[in-house]
């Protein structure tokens, strides 16, 4: 058994010296040239073991130099294991890119047809430079090998996923490969479904985009693919014996796939997707999955709601009118359904009485202590404000009262998001019309109430995020009060000031930055 690299210092010394002796001897042997292929294959597991360390060791440089001597495309080397370990090293130490990239290119010159698919596993790496190195290396595969792989599903799946990588540089590189290996992806999506539960988010995202693109090319496969997605979700639901939610990555992948596929769904697909979201996904125990499912539903409604109000509204209303059997789960699902109803309500006529009922439900859901839910509600409120012009003063007053006076932090933060959504819907002029900025400023200087000072900062933060550059004139006006809040005696107020400052700086224009700098220099 080979001792492991990187144990405690007392145990490490003998094992490292053993590795050092082996690698030093190999380095001496290689001075006159590469080892015979049988010898190299025999000692490669030792070098592989060193390079598979979770961090760079003192032996990495020497081991890589030995490996670089053994690249002959005509020799029967352990080529796939060499490629795999180089992907790993490149992911650990990006500085090796200039030497590992050419080495991968050389190794790919000698790949056999059945080795191409495993060599493409680099496109599933977490780091973009590893994915790029993989795509660049695979382009070096001889054309005679490429021609024999035109209909290889595994190869096509990996390249199709790379075509939809979140990094555009990878997409462009994959386009050249796609021209060589396939013109039509077909309808075997098994590799895409598997990638939806991959450990790396970038792979799950790319697989979701890739699936949507495939469904766009083959609409007849949508219904079966939706059934598969629902089955995958059910498979990954539930806890293990150790009470661990091991399947949340796969469920998140399903949410990503539904979000990406919003454009390609047909009217006939909407009821089954919405029923799945309501009956299963909106009650997911994982907050991230739940939030992404809500976002997927909103995206689908945004794409198809205008033409399908009469189809979707009854689905949502029927659920909201049902009695709860499981109160906790019902509350979670109800929040999502109310948000869906809000997203759909913007397609109603502004004088439709349903709009006012939906707004009330959205305001109620703002009290949910979940930022994802509160953000979604804020987004839904904005387009509905056309119907509330006459009730503007009362609505704004109600939200500001909760922002400044509620005893619960979650309710105050929800009110801040609600205020941002309402102001965005009414327009920037509503800030002055309803005296919103004055009330926030009064809250910031209220030395008798930390709640009001924190409420003012929460409102400031959410308005910065929602209105962006439109809010800049008020940022300059409120900046001195924000700076004072950094030295507040109450921790919650100081933390609120930090969040507000981050939101402010991330949305300022270049001109806005110039305007605020004097305030910082003078503080």
């Amino acid at each position: 058994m080979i001792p492991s690299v990187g144990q405690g210092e007392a145990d490490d010394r003998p094992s490292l010296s053993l590795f050092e002796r082996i690698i030093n001897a190999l380095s001496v042997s290689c001075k006159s040239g590469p080892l015979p292929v049988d010898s190299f294959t025999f000692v490669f597991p030792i070098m592989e073991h060193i390079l598979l360390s979770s961090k760079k060791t003192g032996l990495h440089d020497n081991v890589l130099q030995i490996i670089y001597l053994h690249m002959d495309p005509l020799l029967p080397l352990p080529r796939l294991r060499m490629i795999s370990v180089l992907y790993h090293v490149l992911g650990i130490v990006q500085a090796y890119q200039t030497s590992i990239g050419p080495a991968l290119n050389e190794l790919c010159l000698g790949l056999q047809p059945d080795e191409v698919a495993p060599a493409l596993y680099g496109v599933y790496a977490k780091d973009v430079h590893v994915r790029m190195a993989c795509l660049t290396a695979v382009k070096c595969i001889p054309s005679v090998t490429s021609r024999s792989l035109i209909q290889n599903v595994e190869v096509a799946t990996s390249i199709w996923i790379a075509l939809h990588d979140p990094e555009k540089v990878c997409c462009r590189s994959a386009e050249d490969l796609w021209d060589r290996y396939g013109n039509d992806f077909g309808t075997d999506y098994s590799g895409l479904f598997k990638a939806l539960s991959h450990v790396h988010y970038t792979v799950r995202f790319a697989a979701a985009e890739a699936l949507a693109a495939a469904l766009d090319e083959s609409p007849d496969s949508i219904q079966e693919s939706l059934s598969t997605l629902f089955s995958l979700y059910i498979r990954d639901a539930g806890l293990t014996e150790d009470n661990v939610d091991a399947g949340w990555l796969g469920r998140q992948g399903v949410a990503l796939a539904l979000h990406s596929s919003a454009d390609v769904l047909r009217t006939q697909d909407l009821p089954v997707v919405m029923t799945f979201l309501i009956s299963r996904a909106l009650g997911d125990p994982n907050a991230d999955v739940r939030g992404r499912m809500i976002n997927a539903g909103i995206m689908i409604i945004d794409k198809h709601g205008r033409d399908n109000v009469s189809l979707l509204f009854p689905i949502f209303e029927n659920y909201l009118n049902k009695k709860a059997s499981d109160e906790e789960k019902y509350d979670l699902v109800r929040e999502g359904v109310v948000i869906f109803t809000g997203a759909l309500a913007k397609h109603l006529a502004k004088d439709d009485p349903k709009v006012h009922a939906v707004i009330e439900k959205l305001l109620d859901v703002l009290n949910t202590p979940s930022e994802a839910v509160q953000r979604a509600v804020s987004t839904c409120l904005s387009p509905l404000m056309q119907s509330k012009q006459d009730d503007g003063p009362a609505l704004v007053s109600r939200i500001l009262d909760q922002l400044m006076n509620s005893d619960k932090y979650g309710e105050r933060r929800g009110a801040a998001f609600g205020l941002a959504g309402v102001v965005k819907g009414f327009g920037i002029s509503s800030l002055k019309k309803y005296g919103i900025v004055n009330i926030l400023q009064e809250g910031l200087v209220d030395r008798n109430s930390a709640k009001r000072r924190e409420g003012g900062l929460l409102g400031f933060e959410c308005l910065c995020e929602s209105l962006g550059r439109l809010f800049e004139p008020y940022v300059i006006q409120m900046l001195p009060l924000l700076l004072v809040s950094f030295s507040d005696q109450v921790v919650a107020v100081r933390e609120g000031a930090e969040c507000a400052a981050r939101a402010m700086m991330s949305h300022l224009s270049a001109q806005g930055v110039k305007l605020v700098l004097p305030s910082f220099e003078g503080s």
Side-chain angles (χ1 to χ4, degrees):
M1 178 178 173
I2 300 171
S4 62
V5 179
Q7 294 171 348
E9 192 171 336
D11 298 329
D12 223 12
R13 234 177 259 281
S15 61
L16 276 179
S17 65
L18 170 62
F19 281 121
E20 284 173 344
R21 289 198 299 272
I22 294 172
I23 299 306
N24 287 340
L26 288 173
S27 297
V28 170
S29 299
C30 289
K31 283 185 176 177
S32 57
L35 301 171
V37 67
D38 290 345
S39 301
F40 176 79
T41 302
F42 179 75
V43 298
F44 176 73
I46 297 173
M47 294 186 285
E48 182 182 42
H49 182 82
I50 293 169
L51 295 180
L52 286 176
S53 168
S54 61
K55 59 184 178 180
K56 182 182 177 183
T57 71
L59 300 175
H60 266 56
D61 289 340
N62 288 340
V63 172
L64 287 172
Q65 289 305 317
I66 295 168
I67 288 178
Y68 293 160
L69 288 173
H70 301 82
M71 297 284 172
D72 193 325
L74 300 178
L75 294 177
L77 300 166
R79 206 170 299 276
L80 286 177
R81 289 173 67 181
M82 293 167 73
I83 289 172
S84 177
V85 78
L86 289 181
Y87 286 153
H88 174 80
V89 174
L90 187 54
I92 299 297
V93 189
Q94 188 176 354
Y96 281 135
Q97 193 165 352
T98 53
S99 62
I100 286 181
L104 288 169
N105 296 349
E106 278 196 73
L107 285 169
C108 283
L109 285 171
L111 286 179
Q112 298 303 307
D114 62 339
E115 296 176 317
V116 175
L120 273 164
Y121 287 167
V123 303
Y124 301 94
K126 178 183 179 181
D127 301 294
V128 62
H129 59 275
V130 179
R131 303 199 298 276
M132 272 302 297
C134 168
L135 293 167
T136 302
V138 172
K139 289 179 187 176
C140 298
I141 294 172
S143 56
V144 63
T145 303
S146 303
R147 285 195 293 271
S148 67
L149 291 165
I150 287 178
Q151 297 302 322
N152 186 295
V153 173
E154 201 173 352
V155 170
T157 298
S158 295
I159 301 174
W160 188 255
I161 287 176
L163 272 173
H164 299 87
D165 194 283
E167 298 291 339
K168 295 303 177 188
V169 64
C170 291
C171 298
R172 288 193 292 270
S173 185
E175 286 173 3
D176 298 335
L177 278 176
W178 186 252
D179 291 339
R180 289 174 60 180
Y181 287 101
N183 300 311
D184 177 27
F185 183 64
T187 56
D188 185 343
Y189 307 150
S190 55
L192 301 181
F193 289 130
K194 182 179 179 182
L196 287 175
S197 58
H198 196 276
V199 65
H200 299 316
Y201 173 80
T202 51
V203 178
R204 299 195 296 276
F205 176 88
E209 292 286 304
L211 177 63
L215 295 177
D216 192 32
E217 291 191 358
S218 303
D220 290 344
S221 62
I222 292 176
Q223 187 175 352
E224 183 181 347
S225 295
L226 288 173
S227 296
T228 303
L229 287 174
F230 302 156
S231 298
L232 290 173
Y233 179 91
I234 294 168
R235 181 201 69 184
D236 290 335
L239 303 176
T240 63
E241 291 180 1
D242 301 326
N243 218 28
V244 174
D245 185 3
W248 77 270
L249 291 179
R251 302 199 307 278
Q252 186 204 69
V254 172
L256 292 171
L258 291 174
H259 189 278
S260 297
S261 302
D263 258 338
V264 304
L265 295 179
R266 305 155 300 181
T267 296
Q268 68 205 63
D269 303 316
L270 301 182
V272 68
V273 173
M274 289 301 167
T275 301
F276 162 75
L277 290 173
I278 293 171
S279 64
R280 293 274 185 178
L282 295 185
D284 196 283
N286 183 283
D288 180 87
V289 174
R290 203 162 56 245
R292 291 181 188 276
M293 289 294 185
I294 289 174
N295 290 336
I298 291 172
M299 178 63 73
I300 292 167
I301 292 166
D302 284 347
K303 299 291 184 183
H304 303 278
R306 183 178 300 279
D307 299 324
N308 295 281
V309 171
S310 60
L311 174 67
L312 296 175
F313 238 111
I315 296 175
F316 303 151
E317 287 183 319
N318 286 342
Y319 181 81
L320 294 174
N321 292 332
K322 278 195 332 185
K323 288 188 176 180
S325 54
D326 179 342
E327 282 294 338
E328 184 178 355
K329 185 175 180 181
Y330 174 79
D331 286 345
L332 292 175
V333 179
R334 179 180 172 276
E335 291 159 9
V337 176
V338 167
I339 292 170
F340 289 170
T341 308
L344 186 59
K346 69 183 178 185
H347 299 300
L348 294 173
K350 65 178 183 179
D351 56 350
D352 192 315
K354 287 182 179 177
V355 175
H356 299 286
V358 169
I359 290 172
E360 285 302 314
K361 289 176 180 175
L362 288 171
L363 293 174
D364 186 36
V365 171
L366 273 177
N367 294 328
T368 306
S370 162
E371 187 167 315
V373 170
Q374 290 169 345
R375 284 183 183 278
V377 171
S378 179
T379 302
C380 291
L381 279 172
S382 298
L384 302 181
M385 288 302 103
Q386 288 184 355
S387 302
K388 298 291 284 185
Q389 295 289 346
D390 296 339
D391 303 327
L395 177 60
V396 170
S397 176
R398 172 180 166 188
I399 292 175
L400 283 171
D401 180 64
Q402 183 156 315
L403 174 64
M404 295 299 185
N405 300 313
S406 176
D407 291 329
K408 296 180 180 177
Y409 171 81
E411 291 182 359
R412 294 201 301 279
R413 186 149 183 81
F417 278 111
L419 179 66
V422 166
V423 169
K424 190 170 185 178
F426 282 144
I428 192 73
S429 61
S430 62
L431 288 171
K432 187 173 182 180
K433 181 179 179 181
Y434 301 127
I436 293 171
V437 173
N438 289 337
I439 293 172
L440 294 180
Q441 288 176 319
E442 289 169 8
L444 287 173
V445 298
D446 188 340
R447 308 320 301 170
N448 297 319
S449 173
K451 278 191 307 187
R452 289 179 62 81
R453 298 199 298 278
E454 185 186 26
L457 291 165
L458 291 172
F460 181 80
E461 175 192 351
C462 289
L463 287 169
C464 281
E465 284 192 6
S466 178
L467 302 177
R469 295 181 182 181
L470 293 174
F471 194 59
E472 276 187 11
Y474 299 98
V475 167
I476 312 302
Q477 183 181 331
M478 297 178 69
L479 188 57
L481 299 178
L482 174 62
L483 294 175
V484 170
S485 300
F486 277 100
S487 58
D488 199 282
Q489 292 182 342
V490 178
V491 174
V493 176
R494 295 199 299 271
E495 290 175 348
E498 289 179 17
C499 293
R502 277 197 296 269
M504 176 190 76
M505 296 306 296
S506 63
H507 291 85
L508 280 180
S509 65
Q511 181 61 28
V513 172
K514 290 179 183 177
L515 291 172
V516 302
L517 279 178
S519 297
F520 288 118
E521 291 168 355
S523 61

